[in-house]
Amino acid sequence: SRLLEGQHPYLETTYLGNPVSQLPGSVILAVPFVTLFGGVAMQNVFWLAVLMFALRRCSSRAGSLVMLLGVSLLSPCLVYRIAVGDDYLTNGILVLLAVIWLTKCAHQERATMKELPLPAVSVGFAISTRTLFPLLLPLLVIYLVRVRGYWTGLLLTTVIGFVFVVVTAPFYFWDPAGFSPFHTARKLNRFDSLIPHAGVSIPALAVLTGAFLCWLREATIPNLLSNSALTLAIPAVAGAVLDSVKRGTLAFDYLAFTTFSLFFAVVALWPGLMPVSRDALQAKLRESTQAVS
C-alpha cells in the first residue's frame, strides 16, 4: 500500500510490530493482490495453482500431482502458512518455478542464447524476495557451467545477479538505514555466543554444502532441486537446534523457515515428477529403441 502511494515501504512495520523482512521483489509481486483483494493472502492460492499447472506440464502423471498436493497439505507448517496468509509459501514457489524454467531451458541443446536470458531474469527477480534465496547463486553457477559451459554459465548467472541488484538496490539506496530486510537477515547473530560469527558461518556452511553436492552429483534438475532444498534448510534447522540449546528446551520457531525449501524437496524427491529434460528423455527413448532393434 505504501509503495502504491509512492512512499518507502520499509518505513512500515508488520501487524506484530516487527520490521518488514521481505525484499523488494516480494513487495512488488504483492501489488496486484493488494490492489484486487486488499491483502496478500490470495497469493498462496494463486501460486499453488500455478505450481500444479507447471508440474503438470513437466509430468504426464496427473495422479502424481494429486498425491503431491495431498502430501504437501499434510505439512502442519504449510497449512499454517496458508491459514495465516503470509508469503513464505509464495516466495518459495516463485524461486522454485524460476529455477525449473531456467534449468529446463539450459538442458535443451537447441536452446539459444536468445532464449536463455528471460528465464535467468525470472530467477534474478525471484531471489529478490527473501535474503535467504541469494544463497542459491553459487549452486546455479556450478550447475549452469556444467550444463552449458563456462562462458554461457557465467553469463547467465551474471544476468541473475544484475537483475537482483536492479530490483533491490533502488530501495536500499532510498534509505540504507531503514532497509529492514538486511536487519532481519541477521537472525542467526543471536547465537554468536554458541558459534562464533553464527550469522556468517552457518549460511556459509549451507552454501559450501550445496555447492559441493552440485559439483559432486550428476547435473540433473532433481539433484539441483534437492541440493537447493538442503542449502535453504540448513540455516533453519541450525537455528532451531541452537535456539533449543540456548533456551534449554525444544524450540521450533526457526523451523518455520523450512517452508522456503519445502517444495524444492518434495518436487525433487517425488519419483518421475521432474524429468531431467525433454532432450534427455528423447535420447533415452532412442537408446531403448535401438537396443530393442
Side-chain angles (χ1 to χ4, degrees):
S1 297
R2 293 295 171 265
L3 182 63
L4 289 171
E5 295 169 2
Q7 302 179 25
H8 196 292
Y10 295 104
L11 298 178
E12 294 295 315
T13 58
T14 69
Y15 62 92
L16 295 176
N18 297 320
V20 177
S21 59
Q22 291 89 341
L23 285 174
S26 184
V27 178
I28 294 171
L29 287 169
V31 167
F33 297 93
V34 172
T35 303
L36 294 174
F37 304 106
V40 298
M42 288 301 295
Q43 282 188 122
N44 291 329
V45 178
F46 175 80
W47 288 109
L48 269 173
V50 173
L51 176 63
M52 292 298 106
F53 174 78
L55 293 180
R56 181 66 183 86
R57 295 290 301 272
C58 296
S59 173
S60 60
R61 301 168 59 184
S64 65
L65 298 183
V66 176
M67 291 295 294
L68 171 65
L69 182 60
V71 170
S72 302
L73 291 177
L74 291 176
S75 166
C77 186
L78 175 60
V79 174
Y80 172 76
R81 293 298 162 191
I82 295 175
V84 172
D86 64 23
D87 60 355
Y88 281 32
L89 181 62
T90 289
N91 296 156
I93 290 176
L94 281 170
V95 179
L96 172 62
L97 290 173
V99 168
I100 290 176
W101 185 18
L102 175 60
T103 51
K104 283 183 70 65
C105 290
H107 267 285
Q108 295 173 358
E109 294 181 0
R110 61 181 178 275
T112 65
M113 281 306 299
K114 293 182 179 180
E115 299 170 329
L116 292 172
L118 184 58
V121 168
S122 73
V123 174
F125 194 95
I127 64 173
S128 71
T129 55
R130 291 278 178 170
T131 53
L132 184 66
F133 294 130
L135 298 182
L136 299 180
L137 273 176
L139 282 67
L140 290 171
V141 173
I142 295 173
Y143 187 85
L144 292 171
V145 166
R146 292 186 64 187
V147 172
R148 298 295 300 192
Y150 185 80
W151 291 112
T152 302
L154 287 183
L155 178 60
L156 291 175
T157 49
T158 300
V159 171
I160 294 172
F162 176 75
V163 172
F164 173 80
V165 172
V166 167
V167 174
T168 308
F171 291 85
Y172 171 75
F173 288 111
W174 191 347
D175 182 11
F179 192 68
S180 55
F182 284 171
H183 298 296
T184 55
R186 305 188 184 103
K187 289 180 179 292
L188 295 173
N189 288 350
R190 66 185 68 177
F191 304 122
D192 285 352
S193 59
L194 299 175
I195 296 180
H197 308 291
V200 175
S201 58
I202 293 176
L205 173 64
V207 171
L208 290 174
T209 301
F212 175 73
L213 290 175
C214 271
W215 186 259
L216 182 66
R217 305 174 69 188
E218 184 182 358
T220 65
I221 297 177
N223 283 347
L224 174 64
L225 296 183
S226 61
N227 297 337
S228 300
L230 181 61
T231 301
L232 295 174
I234 285 177
V237 175
V241 172
L242 294 174
D243 196 24
S244 297
V245 171
K246 193 168 184 178
R247 294 187 187 187
T249 184
L250 290 176
F252 301 108
D253 295 351
Y254 278 82
L255 291 181
F257 298 110
T258 58
T259 307
F260 298 132
S261 63
L262 175 65
F263 278 110
F264 275 88
V266 174
V267 173
L269 299 176
W270 198 270
L273 184 62
M274 183 53 56
V276 175
S277 70
R278 183 174 300 176
D279 291 341
L281 289 178
Q282 290 175 347
K284 290 182 179 179
L285 180 60
R286 287 194 297 269
E287 292 174 1
S288 301
T289 303
Q290 292 172 359
V292 172
S293 300

